Amino acid sequence: MTGLSRFKGYNMASLRKDIISGTIVGVIAIPLGMAFAIASGVKPEYGIYTTIVAGILISLFGGSKFQIGGPTGAFIPILFAIAMEYGYENLLIAGMMAGVILVVMGVLRLGVLIKFIPKPVTIGFTAGIAVIIFSGQIANFLGLRDMERHESFVDNMKEIGAHLSTTNLYSILTAGICLAVVILGMRFAPKVPGSLIGLLCATVIAALFFSGKVTTIGSAYGDIPNTLPSFHFPVITWEKIKLLIRPAFIIAMLGAIESLLSAVVADGMSGTRHDSNRELVGQGIANIAAPLFGGIPATGAIARTATNIRSGAASPLSGVIHGVVVFLILLLFAPYASSIPLAAMAPILMVVAWNMSERKEFLHLLKLKTGDSLVLFITFLLTVFADLTVAVEVGLVLAVILFVKRMGEVHRVSKVLPDPASVKVEAHMVTDSHDCPQIGIYNVEGPLFFGAAYRFDHTMPGPGPDQAKVILLRMSKVPLMDTTGEANLASLVKQLQADGGRLMIAGIQSQPLELLKKTGLYDRIGAAQFYEHTGEAINEALGSISHTRCEGCRHAAFRECSVLSGLEEAAPRGAAFKGRTPAVARKLSGGV
């Protein structure tokens, strides 16, 4: 989707729709932006700055018509860990580096690769992130005092347990009011921004009846300024780049996954089709620019994008308007935000965590009790008890190992043993009791790659006096071959040629054939040994072996050969095969 095509047929009615939807989403984005920033370990205004700068740029340069970008819950664990370990300044640098990575991915057209991340991995770390977000709000919900935040989930749970005695009943009441309004709004008035209404109700009630008894944004973080910060380019050194490359890469990958998932959801709701590579470039530009104004990393926000579409958005301009609305509210109402209780923001994030948990999909995959269930569970546990970086890495490695194992199990190599009862000249058949020792015909099915190499080697005949002189491989069902598979085939060729034998291949597909040509194995085998149909290959094989005396055969004479003993007369090879080999070939090839 090009930039101009997204505005095709745009008119004043479209502009009115964009203004309405952009305003609605902008109002919703304010409490979420502050809440995500606080949960990420930074000041609430940084979430607002991200919403403004990144939100506008993602809509302008992204590849999805209705995408709304900004800070999201998915980033909370990784951003909090970076802020705790490296500090806020380095968090900005990591965000900028992630932006560069995203732009490079988009320019190299790698957007399609994100779709290949296994579902158990994405659901596993998403559910893990939801647990971290939810548990991280327990302290604010209960109003616990003197809490120290840790990177470790276990340490945070211990900290909560150690400070339960400081529970504030006013905080619980404030949080309960906000939670009730949000839940009721979701159920009975889904088009109303429940999070904002709940926040306002809880804030007003707390200010009127619990003033000074609950912790607010102002008392915890100071007043929120009513303007964007001045442009600031962080100091970037080679040492910092080396230090932050790993977390930056995780931010980029997580941002790519979340934004493209959001774009897919938008496509399904609106009937449009996004450009994944353009979307990555847009996300990258936004993440490069946001830190220059103090913003934290951003990505596509599924819930806000869905709200944008349901509110009637007509173009990407709605996303730009949403950022402008947030900026105007910042200018006009920032001082009032300082009165918002932290307890009122806790239930908003808890609801976000509940909605993003993928609990139904999680339980469904877990009940399957397959390899995918194992990948899901391990990714989930590592996300919660280790960190997101380790969880994604281990989850992907496990998924790849399982994939290789499954593909290896799909691979089959079997010797052709036709049924002799189905033909008149049964002596021409290769069966368990009638097996010509000079010709071996094998069906090879499935990809011939490193995961299946052991099966191929195990089935192929080894060197020795009983080895067939002609090996015919039927490879019409081999869609893929890698260099390991090619090496196994080369080993078989070397073995046969050393013993004076011959390898013939029938029905090979284009990819394996091109690989053999590139490696030179095609020439070593010989172009004449490749056949389009199995019948042609068998015809040639039967005409090439010596039947005056089968070399290596358990039979001493031509008349006793198990393949030819049914012929009416023992004669020199040419006479014996005249007019007969096509039928033999057809039968041995299974009619191919």
Side-chain angles (χ1 to χ4, degrees):
M1 180 186 295
T2 63
L4 293 177
S5 65
R6 298 187 297 173
F7 292 92
K8 186 177 181 180
Y10 199 81
N11 51 35
M12 289 302 298
S14 302
L15 177 60
R16 284 194 297 271
K17 291 180 180 179
D18 282 338
I19 292 174
I20 293 172
S21 59
T23 301
I24 292 173
V25 178
V27 169
I28 292 172
I30 293 173
L32 291 176
M34 291 190 294
F36 291 143
I38 292 172
S40 298
V42 300
K43 292 183 177 181
E45 57 262 34
Y46 298 151
I48 296 178
Y49 302 155
T50 306
T51 301
I52 297 169
V53 178
I56 291 174
L57 294 177
I58 286 172
S59 293
L60 286 177
F61 298 104
S64 177
K65 188 174 182 179
F66 302 111
Q67 183 83 282
I68 298 295
T72 64
F75 275 143
I76 288 176
I78 189 68
L79 299 188
F80 178 74
I82 296 172
M84 288 284 291
E85 184 173 353
Y86 304 108
Y88 172 65
E89 183 79 5
N90 284 331
L91 173 61
L92 298 183
I93 295 174
M96 292 184 69
M97 290 171 60
V100 173
I101 294 172
L102 285 167
V103 171
V104 171
M105 289 174 63
V107 171
L108 296 179
R109 309 190 67 79
L110 299 180
V112 68
L113 297 181
I114 303 300
K115 300 176 183 178
F116 294 110
I117 294 180
K119 188 176 182 180
V121 176
T122 58
I123 292 178
F125 74 66
T126 300
I129 289 171
V131 170
I132 293 172
I133 294 173
F134 191 95
S135 63
Q137 297 308 306
I138 294 175
N140 286 336
F141 194 101
L142 299 178
L144 304 183
R145 298 192 306 273
D146 304 321
M147 286 281 297
E148 182 181 351
R149 294 190 66 181
H150 306 272
E151 290 183 52
S152 167
F153 172 81
V154 174
D155 289 341
N156 281 322
M157 293 300 98
K158 289 180 179 178
E159 191 79 15
I160 289 173
H163 290 81
L164 281 177
S165 59
T166 65
T167 298
N168 185 332
L169 294 179
Y170 295 106
S171 292
I172 295 176
L173 186 58
T174 301
I177 292 170
C178 180
L179 181 61
V181 173
V182 171
I183 293 175
L184 291 174
M186 291 170 57
R187 180 161 185 167
F188 299 107
K191 293 185 177 181
V192 175
S195 59
L196 181 64
I197 301 301
L199 191 67
L200 290 175
C201 290
T203 300
V204 170
I205 291 174
L208 292 176
F209 302 103
F210 316 139
S211 181
K213 297 179 180 179
V214 293
T215 304
T216 64
I217 289 178
S219 62
Y221 299 99
D223 293 335
I224 295 179
N226 61 349
T227 183
L228 285 176
S230 58
F231 181 91
H232 170 67
F233 198 94
V235 178
I236 301 176
T237 64
W238 180 244
E239 286 71 23
K240 287 186 177 181
I241 291 176
K242 291 190 293 183
L243 179 69
L244 299 171
I245 186 62
R246 192 163 176 258
F249 182 76
I250 292 297
I251 292 174
M253 293 303 298
L254 188 58
I257 293 169
E258 287 294 309
S259 64
L260 294 183
L261 283 176
S262 180
V264 169
V265 171
D267 288 349
M269 293 182 66
S270 62
T272 58
R273 179 174 294 181
H274 74 280
D275 184 332
S276 58
N277 296 307
R278 180 187 173 96
E279 180 65 22
L280 292 181
V281 171
Q283 294 285 340
I285 292 172
N287 279 287
I288 292 172
L292 301 177
F293 296 92
I296 59 180
T299 185
I302 296 177
R304 276 162 277 170
T305 298
T307 302
N308 187 42
I309 295 171
R310 286 196 294 263
S311 300
S315 76
L317 190 58
S318 62
V320 177
I321 292 172
H322 127 273
V324 173
V325 167
V326 174
F327 179 60
L328 292 175
I329 293 175
L330 175 69
L331 292 178
L332 299 174
F333 301 104
Y336 300 102
S338 301
S339 301
I340 297 175
L342 294 183
M345 303 195 77
I348 294 175
L349 284 180
M350 287 179 166
V351 171
V352 168
W354 178 259
N355 290 335
M356 72 176 288
S357 64
E358 300 278 7
R359 56 196 179 279
K360 292 182 180 179
E361 287 286 344
F362 186 93
L363 293 174
H364 172 69
L365 283 176
L366 205 59
K367 289 177 180 178
L368 294 179
K369 296 181 179 179
T370 63
D372 286 343
S373 305
L374 179 64
V375 173
L376 169 79
F377 194 60
I378 290 178
T379 304
F380 169 76
L381 289 180
L382 289 175
T383 301
V384 175
F385 293 103
D387 62 63
L388 184 61
T389 305
V390 173
V392 172
E393 291 172 349
V394 173
L396 288 176
V397 169
L398 284 176
V400 169
I401 291 173
L402 283 173
F403 171 76
V404 171
K405 182 177 180 295
R406 288 166 182 164
M407 293 301 291
E409 291 171 349
V410 168
H411 185 78
R412 295 286 186 273
V413 183
S414 58
K415 194 164 187 180
V416 177
L417 301 172
D419 183 6
S422 62
V423 293
K424 296 179 180 179
V425 189
E426 62 270 8
H428 286 190
M429 295 301 92
V430 179
T431 67
D432 290 330
S433 58
H434 291 281
D435 185 5
C436 178
Q438 296 201 65
I439 304 176
I441 305 173
Y442 294 85
N443 285 334
V444 187
E445 301 179 14
L448 185 54
F449 73 125
F450 67 93
Y454 71 99
R455 288 181 179 269
F456 184 83
D457 281 343
H458 180 73
T459 308
M460 286 295 101
D466 294 331
Q467 183 190 56
K469 294 302 179 185
V470 178
I471 297 293
L472 171 58
L473 300 182
R474 302 172 68 186
M475 298 183 64
S476 61
K477 295 183 179 179
V478 179
L480 172 71
M481 179 189 295
D482 69 357
T483 53
T484 304
E486 184 271 345
N488 293 140
L489 197 59
S491 178
L492 178 62
V493 171
K494 182 179 180 180
Q495 172 190 309
L496 280 172
Q497 291 178 347
D499 293 338
R502 175 184 183 189
L503 179 68
M504 306 173 75
I505 297 178
I508 189 169
Q509 295 192 33
S510 57
Q511 190 277 335
L513 180 62
E514 287 301 315
L515 179 62
L516 296 184
K517 288 181 177 179
K518 287 180 179 179
T519 61
L521 185 56
Y522 178 85
D523 295 327
R524 287 172 56 192
I525 296 173
Q529 308 308 314
F530 288 83
Y531 299 85
E532 184 176 353
H533 300 291
T534 306
E536 299 170 353
I538 295 176
N539 231 7
E540 176 63 26
L542 289 174
S544 66
I545 62 175
S546 172
H547 289 282
T548 56
R549 180 180 177 87
C550 291
E551 298 178 9
C553 180
R554 63 181 179 272
H555 304 290
F558 163 77
R559 185 180 298 279
E560 297 174 347
C561 179
S562 62
V563 170
L564 302 173
S565 60
L567 293 178
E568 295 176 359
E569 58 181 13
R573 182 179 60 196
F577 277 80
K578 186 176 182 181
R580 298 180 184 274
T581 53
V584 175
R586 281 196 302 273
K587 189 56 191 178
L588 288 177
S589 65
V592 179

